[in-house]
Amino acid sequence: MLEVRNLEAVYDDVMLVLRGVSLRVPAGSVVALLGANGAGKTTLLRALSGLLDVHDGEITKGSVLLDGEPVHGLLPAQLVRRGISQVMEGRRIFAELTVEENLKVGAHTAPRRAAANLERVYGLFPLLKERRKGVSGYLSGGEQQMLAVGRALMSGPRYLLLDEPSLGLAPALVGQIRDLVVEINKQGTTILLVEQNAAMALSISTHGYVMETGKIVMDRPAAELLADEDIKEFYLGLG
Ligand code: ATP
């Protein structure tokens, strides 16, 4: 279980962006984290993957627990070794490297399992295998998104944090991403899914959280969120 308790975080020492967030991601689940732009979802993922520092941010209160042990304050590479891997918004692959080189970058914390993890990733994404010698910058947006997910899987994570994987993708590709998230979860990886596409995210999640200006304002089983007309209209823009 990955658990966030009463977390507060600031940018540039002053701007309070997380205001006491609590959230639980039980092992084996897919949990959706929803909310408008600027609510703090990306900031929460950065806090979980140790990347706040890089963005001049800092946790000022609260804790992050992995299987009951505090892990806040650990460096990104240490968190990856503990089994938490993040796919950042905007893909951020190395455009000038080949597909396979990009994937191998993701394996640096788990070099002994690199070959097995590469096979797993190629099994999930046959297209990446076909294009493995191609320069990544020439891949389409959807393919680059798959490469970013594949790279995060190269460390063999137990927990995968996905930041808006469907952003900017055509509807047909959104369906593919959805199916992949389901498949990755089936293979044993727990998933925290940040999405603007609330309907897609909730359709594959066990639980959903809605964030608003740095706070969790809704915390319910995904099926309940999807069934509630008021919530759909006011919080999820699905009315
Ligand atoms: P989005 O969907 O737009 O990514 P979000 O819910 O993920 O939204 P965050 O990106 O976490 O929200 O942003 C929360 C707030 O923190 C916003 O007001 C944003 O402008 C601010 N913020 C984000 N990154 C930084 C940073 N590096 N320095 C200062 N402020 C930041």
Side-chain angles (χ1 to χ4, degrees), residues 68-81:
E69 273 186 47
V71 292
H72 47 277
L74 295 186
L75 297 170
Q78 293 172 314
L79 287 161
V80 171
R81 278 193 201 95

Side-chain angles (χ1 to χ4, degrees), residues 87-148:
V87 180
M88 286 177 280
E89 190 179 344
R91 293 144 208 173
R92 308 203 196 186
I93 56 153
F94 299 105
E96 67 283 10
L97 298 186
T98 66
V99 167
E100 191 152 299
E101 284 165 348
N102 261 290
L103 291 173
K104 285 182 172 165
V105 170
H108 73 280
T109 56
R112 266 176 287 142
R113 283 180 289 134
N117 285 333
L118 190 63
E119 277 318 299
R120 179 189 176 205
V121 168
Y122 282 154
L124 278 164
F125 306 96
L127 191 135
L128 294 184
K129 187 171 186 178
E130 272 170 39
R131 310 279 298 265
R132 67 187 180 279
K133 296 205 167 81
V135 173
S136 305
Y138 295 133
L139 297 177
S140 70
E143 291 162 357
Q144 291 191 14
Q145 183 62 61
M146 289 174 193
L147 179 54

Side-chain angles (χ1 to χ4, degrees), residues 11-12 15 17 36-43 46 55 89 164 196:
Y11 286 113
D12 303 319
M15 201 176 95
V17 172
N37 284 335
K41 306 177 300 293
T42 296
T43 303
R46 285 176 183 159
H55 298 273
E89 190 179 344
E164 311 237 8
Q196 290 290 326

